[in-house]
C-alpha cells in the first residue's frame, strides 16, 4: 500500500495590475474598489494581456526546468458562480505556458526527491463571496482577474512529508523569484491535493496488472499548510479504513473520482460531489485575445532575471562559507537575505561571523517584527563593518549584539556606536594584565590547578577566563585574556 498524491497549486502573482485589465492587484482594499468593466464582466469590454504576468509565470516555468512554449493561447473555461460574473474564466487549456519540469524537494536525513511538474498555466482568479453580512452574501470582485499561476504535479508524492516539503519548497521558490508574496493568510497560495492509495506492489504503481487505486479524492482550495497537512493525513486514514471495510469495492475503477472539502473546525473532510456530477467546462479559444508568442529575445530577458536558485545558493553557502545545513537553509529562505550576506562577504567580512550576526540578533528582530531578515534594515556595509570588528577582536560577541541593535535603530557606523556605548574591547596590555592579576588573586585555587597541570586544569582555566571577563566588565578581548592568563600561569614542573 502506497499513498499517491498529485498537487495542484494556485499562486497569485504579485503584479501591479490585474491579468487582463489595469485595475490594482492588491489584497485588503475596500470591497469592489479595484474593479472595472473588464473584470466585472460587462458585455463588450475587451481584455488586454498583462505582459509582466506572463514573464513571472515563465520565470517560474524556467526555474522548474519546464519547457516554456513559444506559442500559447487563451481559452475560456465556462462556469457559473456569483464570484465570476462573466460566466467564464480565462485560462490555458491544451497549450499551457510551461510543461514538464521538476522540483527537487528536501526530506529528512539529508535525502531529497525529484517531483515531476506536469504543467504550469496562467489564468485569472475569481472574486470572493463574503459571508459576514447578516442574512445576505456579498460578492467582492477585487480579486476577480488577478493573475493566477496554476502548477500541476505528476502523482509522484507518496507521503505527508513529501507533500509538505513540496508545498514549502514551492512557496520558497516563488518568493525567491519575486513573483508572488505567497502569503497563505492572504490567499496568495492555495493547494488542491489529489489523493489515493495504490493497493499493490509499491514498486509498480500505475501497472494495472499488479494493483489498483482507491478512488481519487480531490480536495479543493486549502489555504494553509496546516489544512494541507491535516487533509492529507485524514484522507489517507479514511482510505485505509474504507479498504478494511470494503476491500476491492473501494477502488477508483468502481467508484471514480470524488471532490471533498476540508473543514477547519473539525480538521476533517466531507463529501462534495462524485464523478457523475463532474463539470463540463466547454473550453474554447477566447476570441478577444491574441495568442502569446514568446520570442528568443523575450525568453532571454526572462531567463536573465532568474539568477541562482535557492538550493544552489544553499549548497554554495555550505561549501564556500562553511555554514551548517541549518544556517545555510535559514539564510536562503528569500533572495534578499542571502544577497545581504553575499555583499558583506564581498566587502571583505568573514562569512561565518556575518551569518552569526544575521541569525542571532538579525533573526530575533525579524521574528519580533514578522518580517524577513533582509527587511530589518541593516545594510551590507554596516554588517561587514561589525563582522570585521569581531574578527579583529575590537568587540566581543555580547557587545556585538548590542551594537547590532543600535545599528538597526540609528543606521550609524558600528565603530561609532561601540565608542559611544563604551563597548570597545581594550587592547591595552597593561589594562589586560591588571584584570588578569585581579582574577588570579581572587581565585588562588583554580590558578594553582592550572599551574600544576591538575586534571581539572582545563575547567579551572575556563573559570579564570570568566573571572577576567567579569573584572573587565566584558571589555577584555577573549584572545588577549587567554594569552595573558597563559603567560601568567606557566606550568610548574
Ligand atoms: P485530469 O485533470 O486531466 O484528469 P489527472 O486526473 O490525471 O488529470 O490529474 C489531476 C491531478 O491528479 C494531477 O495533479 C495528478 O498528479 C493527480 N493524480 C493523477 N492520478 C492520481 C492518483 N492515482 N492518485 C492521486 N493523484 C493522482
Ligand atoms: Mg484546476
Ligand atoms: Zn478591472
Amino acid at each position: 500500500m502506497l499513498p499517491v498524491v498529485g498537487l495542484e497549486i494556485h499562486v497569485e502573482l504579485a503584479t501591479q495590475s490585474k491579468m487582463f485589465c489595469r485595475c490594482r492587484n492588491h489584497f485588503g482594499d475596500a470591497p469592489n474598489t479595484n474593479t472595472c468593466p473588464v473584470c466585472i464582466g460587462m458585455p463588450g469590454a475587451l481584455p488586454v494581456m498583462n505582459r509582466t504576468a506572463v514573464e513571472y509565470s515563465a520565470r517560474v516555468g524556467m526555474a522548474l526546468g519546464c519547457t516554456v512554449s513559444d506559442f500559447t493561447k487563451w481559452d475560456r473555461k465556462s462556469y457559473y458562480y456569483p464570484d465570476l460574473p462573466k460566466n467564464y474564466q480565462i485560462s490555458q487549456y491544451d497549450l499551457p505556458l510551461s510543461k514538464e519540469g521538476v522540483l527537487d524537494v528536501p526530506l529528512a536525513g539529508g535525502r531529497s526527491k525529484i517531483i515531476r511538474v506536469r504543467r504550469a498555466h496562467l489564468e485569472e482568479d475569481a472574486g470572493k463571496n463574503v459571508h459576514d453580512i447578516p442574512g445576505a452574501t456579498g460578492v467582492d470582485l477585487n480579486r476577480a482577474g488577478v493573475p493566477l499561476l496554476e502548477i500541476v504535479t505528476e502523482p509522484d508524492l507518496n507521503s505527508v512529508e513529501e507533500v509538505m516539503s513540496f508545498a514549502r519548497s514551492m512557496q520558497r521558490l516563488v518568493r525567491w523569484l519575486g513573483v508572488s508574496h505567497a502569503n497563505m493568510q492572504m490567499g496568495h497560495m492555495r493547494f488542491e491535493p489529489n489523493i489515493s492509495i495504490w493497493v499493490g506492489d509499491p514498486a509498480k504503481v500505475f501497472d494495472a496488472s499488479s494493483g489498483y487505486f482507491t478512488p481519487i479524492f480531490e480536495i479543493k482550495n486549502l489555504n494553509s499548510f496546516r489544512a494541507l497537512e491535516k487533509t492529507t493525513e485524514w484522507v489517507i486514514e479514511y482510505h485505509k479504513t474504507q479498504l478494511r471495510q470494503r476491500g476491492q469495492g473501494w477502488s477508483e475503477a468502481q467508484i471514480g473520482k470524488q471532490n471533498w472539502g476540508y473543514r477547519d473546525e473539525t480538521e476533517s473532510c466531507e463529501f462534495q460531489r462524485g464523478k457523475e456530477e463532474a463539470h463540463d467546462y466547454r473550453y474554447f479559444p477566447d476570441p478577444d485575445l491574441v495568442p502569446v508568442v514568446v520570442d528568443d529575445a523575450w525568453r532571454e530577458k526572462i531567463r536573465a532575471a532568474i539568477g541562482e536558485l535557492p538550493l544552489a545558493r544553499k549548497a554554495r553557502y555550505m561549501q564556500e562559507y562553511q555554514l551548517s545545513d541549518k544556517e545555510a537553509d535559514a539564510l536562503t529562505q528569500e533572495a534578499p537575505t542571502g544577497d545581504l550576506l553575499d555583499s558583506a562577504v564581498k566587502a571583505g567580512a568573514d562569512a561565518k561571523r556575518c551569518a552569526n550576526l544575521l541569525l542571532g540578533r538579525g533573526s530575533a528582530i525579524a521574528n519580533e517584527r514578522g518580517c524577513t531578515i533582509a527587511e530589518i534594515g541593516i545594510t551590507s556595509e554596516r554588517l561587514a563593518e561589525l563582522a570585521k570588528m569581531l574578527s579583529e577582536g575590537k568587540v566581543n560577541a555580547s557587545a556585538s549584539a548590542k551594537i547590532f541593535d543600535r545599528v538597526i535603530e540609528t543606521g550609524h557606523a558600528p565603530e561609532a556606536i561601540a565608542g559611544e556605548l563604551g563597548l570597545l574591547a581594550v587592547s591595552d596590555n597593561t589594562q589586560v594584565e591588571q584584570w588578569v592579576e585581579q582574577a588570579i588573586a581572587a581565585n588562588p585555587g583554580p590558578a594553582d590547578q592550572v599551574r600544576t597541570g591538575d586534571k581539572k586544569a582545563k575547567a579551572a582555566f575556563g573559570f579564570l577566563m570568566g573571572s577576567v571577563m567579569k573584572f573587565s566588565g566584558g571589555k577584555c578581548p577573549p584572545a588577549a585574556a587567554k594569552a595573558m592568563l597563559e603567560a601568567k600561569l606557566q606550568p610548574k614542573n
Side-chain angles (χ1 to χ4, degrees):
M1 258 192 337
L2 183 74
V4 174
V5 182
L7 273 183
E8 294 171 40
I9 302 185
H10 287 97
V11 179
E12 276 186 4
L13 300 176
T15 51
Q16 297 291 314
S17 57
K18 293 188 183 180
M19 187 65 235
F20 298 109
C21 63
R22 300 178 70 175
C23 290
R24 193 162 117 100
N25 169 15
H26 190 258
F27 178 88
D29 292 339
N32 298 308
T33 50
N34 300 327
T35 53
C36 75
V38 173
C39 58
I40 64 174
M42 289 293 170
L46 283 176
V48 177
M49 179 191 92
N50 181 337
R51 264 178 84 87
T52 306
V54 176
E55 285 176 10
Y56 282 6
S57 304
R59 214 186 273 177
V60 175
M62 287 176 189
L64 292 169
C66 289
T67 305
V68 175
S69 297
D70 46 20
F71 181 92
T72 64
K73 63 179 173 62
W74 303 101
D75 300 293
R76 290 186 177 184
K77 179 182 184 179
S78 309
Y79 75 85
Y80 178 82
Y81 282 125
D83 57 7
L84 194 76
K86 47 179 205 295
N87 289 345
Y88 62 86
Q89 176 192 34
I90 305 175
S91 181
Q92 300 188 301
Y93 181 51
D94 52 340
L95 295 177
L97 182 62
S98 308
K99 56 176 197 267
E100 289 162 11
V102 292
L103 185 62
D104 196 0
V105 305
L107 300 171
R111 293 169 307 131
S112 72
K113 180 170 174 181
I114 291 179
I115 305 300
R116 291 171 300 160
V117 171
R118 182 181 291 178
R119 57 184 278 160
H121 69 260
L122 192 48
E123 56 191 32
E124 53 177 344
D125 210 344
K128 244 196 285 196
N129 293 334
V130 181
H131 301 288
D132 57 6
I133 309 158
T137 293
V139 180
D140 177 5
L141 294 176
N142 282 350
R143 203 179 68 178
V146 164
L148 198 62
L149 182 64
E150 177 171 340
I151 302 160
V152 183
T153 77
E154 292 295 339
D156 287 348
L157 300 153
N158 297 116
S159 65
V160 176
E161 184 199 10
E162 291 177 13
V163 169
M164 296 314 293
S165 181
F166 184 91
R168 292 206 163 89
S169 300
M170 191 58 83
Q171 182 191 43
R172 185 202 291 209
L173 182 69
V174 296
R175 283 183 171 165
W176 186 273
L177 294 171
V179 303
S180 175
H181 302 300
N183 181 322
M184 233 67 76
Q185 279 95 40
M186 296 184 185
H188 294 150
M189 204 169 176
R190 281 117 61 189
F191 304 103
E192 293 181 352
N194 291 264
I195 307 171
S196 71
I197 286 185
W198 172 252
V199 187
D201 184 350
K204 290 188 183 161
V205 181
F206 290 105
D207 172 357
S209 65
S210 70
Y212 65 95
F213 283 109
T214 61
I216 301 174
F217 280 24
E218 177 168 353
I219 298 86
K220 290 290 185 188
N221 246 323
L222 302 174
N223 52 17
S224 71
F225 283 126
R226 184 178 172 80
L228 178 63
E229 186 167 28
K230 288 287 155 198
T231 293
T232 310
E233 282 168 2
W234 189 91
V235 173
I236 290 171
E237 275 318 302
Y238 183 82
H239 279 247
K240 286 183 179 165
T241 310
Q242 292 298 315
L243 274 174
R244 274 196 295 275
Q245 290 170 2
R246 299 159 72 164
Q248 290 236 20
W250 185 246
S251 71
E252 170 70 15
Q254 288 191 35
I255 295 185
K257 197 167 166 166
Q258 300 187 345
N259 276 17
W260 285 59
Y262 173 76
R263 288 185 79 95
D264 261 325
E265 313 85 70
T266 54
E267 292 187 342
S268 63
C269 298
E270 59 192 23
F271 177 81
Q272 284 176 340
R273 58 182 161 88
K275 89 170 167 199
E276 62 280 5
E277 301 158 64
H279 278 226
D280 182 356
Y281 294 117
R282 285 187 168 269
Y283 282 100
F284 69 94
D286 192 312
D288 288 342
L289 284 157
V290 288
V292 188
V293 175
V294 182
D295 61 22
D296 288 347
W298 197 15
R299 188 183 295 272
E300 277 326 299
K301 182 188 161 216
I302 297 166
R303 193 177 293 286
I306 293 180
E308 191 180 30
L309 292 172
L311 284 185
R313 176 90 66 112
K314 180 180 162 188
R316 178 163 69 78
Y317 285 179
M318 291 172 68
Q319 226 194 4
E320 251 175 52
Y321 296 168
Q322 309 288 313
L323 301 187
S324 70
D325 187 286
K326 220 172 136 191
E327 291 166 334
D329 198 65
L331 291 168
T332 51
Q333 286 303 310
E334 61 287 317
T337 300
D339 294 345
L340 185 60
L341 172 66
D342 282 337
S343 310
V345 172
K346 227 178 236 147
D350 175 62
K352 188 87 182 175
R353 290 199 192 272
C354 293
N356 286 345
L357 288 167
L358 291 175
L359 295 175
R361 284 305 299 155
S363 151
I365 295 169
N367 275 341
E368 280 161 26
R369 296 192 190 165
C371 66
T372 68
I373 296 175
E375 286 166 349
I376 63 174
I378 189 162
T379 63
S380 59
E381 291 80 22
R382 295 297 187 230
L383 177 62
E385 286 164 17
L386 184 52
K388 282 185 204 165
M389 288 175 73
L390 273 163
S391 296
E392 290 160 7
K394 288 186 180 163
V395 290
N396 61 27
S398 73
S400 76
K402 288 181 196 136
I403 297 167
F404 190 97
D405 287 7
R406 287 290 285 173
V407 172
I408 303 282
E409 280 165 42
T410 63
H412 294 166
E415 284 266 10
I417 293 172
E420 238 167 70
L421 300 182
L423 292 171
L424 275 175
V426 176
S427 50
D428 171 1
N429 247 350
T430 52
Q431 176 66 80
V432 174
E433 189 171 10
Q434 206 180 326
W435 289 323
V436 166
E437 277 174 354
Q438 280 176 303
I440 291 172
N443 304 288
D448 239 34
Q449 284 174 325
V450 175
R451 282 197 197 93
T452 57
D454 184 275
K455 61 180 188 304
K456 288 190 186 144
K458 218 171 151 189
F461 192 88
F463 183 79
L464 289 164
M465 282 287 290
S467 174
V468 175
M469 287 305 160
K470 240 183 240 159
F471 280 115
S472 75
K475 285 186 197 169
C476 188
K482 182 164 177 278
M484 185 65 75
L485 265 174
E486 279 167 355
K488 296 260 168 199
L489 299 173
Q490 290 294 329
K492 275 187 191 157
N493 296 314

